[in-house]
Amino acid sequence: MTFRAPVSEYEFLLNHVVGYDSIPATDRFAEATSDTVSAILTEAGKLCDEVMAPLQRNGDLHPARLENGVLRTSPGFADGYQAICDGGWVGISAAEEFGGMGLPQTVAVAVYEMMAGACLSLQLAPLLSQGQIEALEHHASDAIKELYLPKLISGEWSGTMNLTEPQAGSDVGALTSKAEPNGDGTFAVTGQKIFISWGDTDFCGNICHLVLARLPDGVPGTKGISLFLVPKYLPDAEGNPGKANDLKVVSLEHKMGLHGSPTCVMQFDGATGWLVGPEHGGMAAMFTMMNNARLGVGGQGVGAGEGAYQHALAYALERKQSKTASGFIADHADVRRMLMEMKADLFASRAILMACARAIDMHTATGGSDWAARAAFLTPIAKAFGTDTGMRVSETGVQVYGGMGFIEESGAAQYYRDVRVTAIYEGTNGIQSMDLVARKMMDGGEMAFALIDEIEEQAERARATHPNMAESVWQACESLREATEWLVSQQDMQDRFAGSVPYLRAFARVLGGHYHLAAAMADQGGPREKLARFYITRMLPEHSALLAHAQAGAEGTFALSLDELAG
């Protein structure tokens, strides 16, 4: 089948649902008008449709591999990556002074989500570089910025992030990698890192690794961690790749999916690195990269879900089985239900992504602390719900195919295998949920209640044209308000954590109803109003069961002993 980037969907969301017009109204992004953004999305869509989508199966069937220590990427990936670079897409939101486009994150997230739908394995390479660019912009010395940023932004060099070690996964503070001062302003970095996406390529002149390690005087835990830039090749006096650094790819992981993206075990043996940010300030610097990376991973989930939906829909519109109005299985009630749920959840999760990205842009443009708080609150929801949606939609896509979905040649299973990791990396979805109910509620729920108030205000406005849908959203919002009041009153964090996942999902469900209602108001009598009615009538009610679970506390969760769990 042929992938079609959802350009028109993004244009509708930006112009009618999430309030994009506030972004070009600022001085910072005055040139990023709706017309300009539409032109950019159209060009990005062509790249996705014509260049990246044809590589989707190549990455799965012909995985990246190591040959005598040299990494070989999937057929066509080098040309695809070069096309991304030629379009300037690596530096879409990077600073113009170093060669970037300087566009809003809202636009960058939209473009990269479309890329993920076309070919997730390849999209991951420039996404990682984009994250490193942002970390260096905020924390690196001027000398590092001047040398590395232009090459990363052009795509000539690529970037990675090296956090995880065999004994230090989500518990980053348990890492043992060390960095010793060399006496000349550089450091000797030693240690092994695992799960390093795109730890090497055969189409970039240099690979720039951001590595977390501990200095000799670093205290145990996360407060003693520093961040280092460790390139594969040491730049020479002219800034070109010179002598090979003391690092290597030990092996590639054999994975469930994302076969076109090499996931490396990296070994650093006294490799030369440069400090990024202050000593022992590595986690703060890395989280600059990770926070927006989490939003980007949410986009990966939505993008993979979009690809799976289009793949399943195409099959449902050509497969004939039993009698239906059209003759195709798309007109069987249960198949139609699956397709509607897929489409409705993709809209909801995409709208949450855009709302979060808009908050980031408004904070960048205005410096307003309220925008920063909104972005921080929405980030774990966007990441977790976006990737949950990607998994759910991709799994449903296999079901639409029926028996053929279980056959690899159909390509349906690849979407599920590829997207599954997005709920794990950049902070598992469970950790996102715990972050939401703990750190993001340290304000006593102020931001949560502000969002709830906004949802109810829109529902009140919608009563004039959509009374039934408005009432459903308003009532769901009141239930969410009561659950949030209960949540912030809990002093034992285990009571919050035990219900954090259903609470996040319920919040996302209500946000989805909010954005679907906005779409219905903007498209009265049109297909988006019909989709909104389906979501609000059939999917929004899930919030009730989720909130009951969220408020059940921890006691029942720990009712069985460890021995009883095993019995």
Side-chain angles (χ1 to χ4, degrees):
M1 65 152 288
T2 301
F3 175 79
R4 179 173 54 84
V7 173
S8 61
E9 191 77 350
Y10 268 112
E11 290 175 331
F12 179 82
L13 273 170
L14 295 176
N15 294 327
H16 301 290
V17 177
V18 299
Y20 176 80
D21 57 342
S22 63
I23 296 174
T26 66
D27 292 338
R28 173 67 179 268
F29 297 117
E31 296 182 5
T33 64
S34 292
D35 288 343
T36 299
V37 170
S38 289
I40 290 168
L41 293 176
T42 298
E43 288 305 308
K46 292 178 182 177
L47 171 76
C48 295
D49 299 352
E50 299 169 8
V51 178
M52 296 183 68
L55 301 175
Q56 166 81 347
R57 291 298 284 158
N58 276 5
D60 196 51
L61 299 175
H62 307 286
R65 66 193 189 281
L66 271 182
E67 289 184 352
N68 299 318
V70 178
L71 190 132
R72 306 295 185 192
T73 55
S74 302
F77 271 39
D79 290 338
Y81 179 79
Q82 189 58 51
I84 294 170
C85 297
D86 290 344
W89 303 113
V90 179
I92 184 171
S93 59
E96 293 178 87
E97 64 178 298
F98 296 109
M101 294 188 191
L103 288 167
Q105 275 292 326
T106 309
V107 181
V109 171
V111 168
Y112 272 76
E113 189 252 280
M114 295 193 297
M115 287 185 181
C119 183
L120 182 55
S121 287
L122 180 56
Q123 181 261 16
L124 186 53
L127 182 69
L128 286 163
S129 292
Q130 189 182 71
Q132 184 171 122
I133 289 165
E134 185 174 18
L136 295 183
E137 283 180 340
H138 284 86
H139 300 286
S141 66
D142 289 342
I144 288 178
K145 290 179 184 178
E146 290 170 7
L147 174 58
Y148 285 87
L149 284 178
K151 295 181 184 298
L152 287 165
I153 289 169
S154 70
E156 182 182 350
W157 294 0
S158 66
T160 73
M161 54 195 302
N162 289 243
L163 289 79
T164 306
E165 299 179 7
Q167 80 293 341
S170 298
D171 183 10
V172 180
L175 65 78
T176 58
S177 292
K178 62 182 182 179
E180 300 278 351
N182 286 326
D184 60 357
T186 67
F187 297 81
V189 178
T190 300
Q192 187 175 97
K193 299 289 185 176
I194 62 172
F195 303 157
I196 309 307
S197 299
W198 284 101
D200 201 0
T201 79
D202 56 3
F203 49 66
C204 289
N206 208 350
I207 318 299
C208 308
H209 301 283
L210 279 181
V211 183
L212 287 179
R214 200 180 308 277
L215 289 166
D217 60 345
V219 299
T222 57
K223 293 183 179 179
I225 295 174
S226 300
L227 182 64
F228 301 89
L229 180 60
V230 187
K232 178 180 179 180
Y233 297 106
L234 299 173
D236 61 20
E238 285 73 42
N240 298 314
K243 175 187 174 184
N245 209 346
D246 294 313
L247 60 89
K248 64 180 179 180
V249 178
V250 176
S251 62
L252 301 184
E253 303 289 0
H254 299 281
K255 301 171 297 183
M256 175 180 177
L258 280 184
H259 296 153
S261 168
T263 302
C264 304
V265 176
M266 299 296 305
Q267 182 67 38
F268 299 87
D269 294 312
T272 300
W274 285 262
L275 184 68
V276 175
E279 293 185 0
H280 319 308
M283 287 303 294
M286 185 61 87
F287 266 103
T288 299
M289 182 177 185
M290 286 187 66
N291 280 333
N292 281 2
R294 286 173 172 175
L295 182 60
V297 170
Q300 288 185 324
V302 178
E306 177 68 34
Y309 168 70
Q310 292 190 24
H311 200 68
L313 177 62
Y315 182 77
L317 292 174
E318 67 181 22
R319 172 68 168 164
K320 295 182 178 181
Q321 201 73 183
S322 302
K323 291 183 178 180
T324 66
S326 64
F328 303 111
I329 65 170
D331 272 332
H332 284 298
D334 189 56
V335 174
R336 184 63 70 90
R337 173 193 62 80
M338 289 189 283
L339 293 170
M340 289 289 284
E341 287 182 354
M342 295 162 84
K343 189 174 182 67
D345 253 355
L346 286 170
F347 180 91
S349 55
R350 189 174 279 133
I352 294 171
L353 283 176
M354 289 291 94
C356 184
R358 172 181 174 247
I360 292 171
D361 289 328
M362 291 303 294
H363 174 248
T364 299
T366 69
S369 59
D370 54 336
W371 287 113
R374 180 182 295 254
F377 188 89
L378 288 173
T379 294
I381 301 175
K383 194 275 184 183
F385 187 67
T387 55
D388 279 348
T389 295
M391 291 191 301
R392 188 165 52 249
V393 168
S394 299
E395 181 185 32
T396 303
V398 173
Q399 191 70 19
V400 170
Y401 264 81
M404 283 305 298
F406 199 64
I407 305 302
E408 284 290 352
E409 284 79 0
S410 72
Q414 182 186 346
Y415 290 101
Y416 183 75
R417 290 187 289 100
D418 284 355
V419 78
R420 186 61 186 85
V421 72
T422 62
I424 299 170
Y425 62 24
E426 298 304 337
T428 68
N429 286 2
I431 287 176
Q432 303 304 313
S433 302
M434 293 167 69
D435 176 53
L436 179 67
V437 303
R439 187 177 292 110
K440 302 304 165 56
M441 293 289 184
M442 290 176 66
D443 61 357
E446 182 178 342
M447 179 48 61
F449 292 127
L451 287 169
I452 289 169
D453 288 343
E454 287 182 18
I455 296 170
E456 290 191 348
E457 288 167 6
Q458 177 183 263
E460 290 293 349
R461 293 194 300 272
R463 289 185 188 278
T465 55
H466 299 82
N468 294 334
M469 286 195 284
E471 177 65 14
S472 295
V473 172
W474 193 91
Q475 290 292 348
C477 212
E478 275 300 289
S479 297
L480 181 60
R481 184 189 300 276
E482 293 170 5
T484 304
E485 290 170 348
W486 177 90
L487 190 76
V488 297
S489 71
Q490 303 308 303
Q491 299 304 309
D492 186 342
M493 295 308 294
Q494 289 290 65
D495 286 326
R496 296 192 191 191
F497 292 155
S500 62
V501 167
Y503 177 79
L504 183 149
R505 289 176 178 170
F507 212 117
R509 270 279 165 259
V510 176
L511 283 170
H514 170 61
Y515 295 123
H516 269 291
L517 184 57
M521 295 166 68
D523 189 33
Q524 295 186 38
R528 290 182 174 87
E529 182 188 60
K530 298 171 186 176
L531 187 66
R533 183 168 287 108
F534 179 91
Y535 180 96
I536 291 171
T537 302
R538 300 167 186 262
M539 301 174 74
L540 178 60
E542 294 173 7
H543 81 279
S544 181
L546 290 167
L547 291 177
H549 186 171
Q551 297 174 83
E555 184 177 357
T557 303
F558 290 91
L560 294 182
S561 68
L562 295 179
D563 288 339
E564 288 170 331
L565 279 173

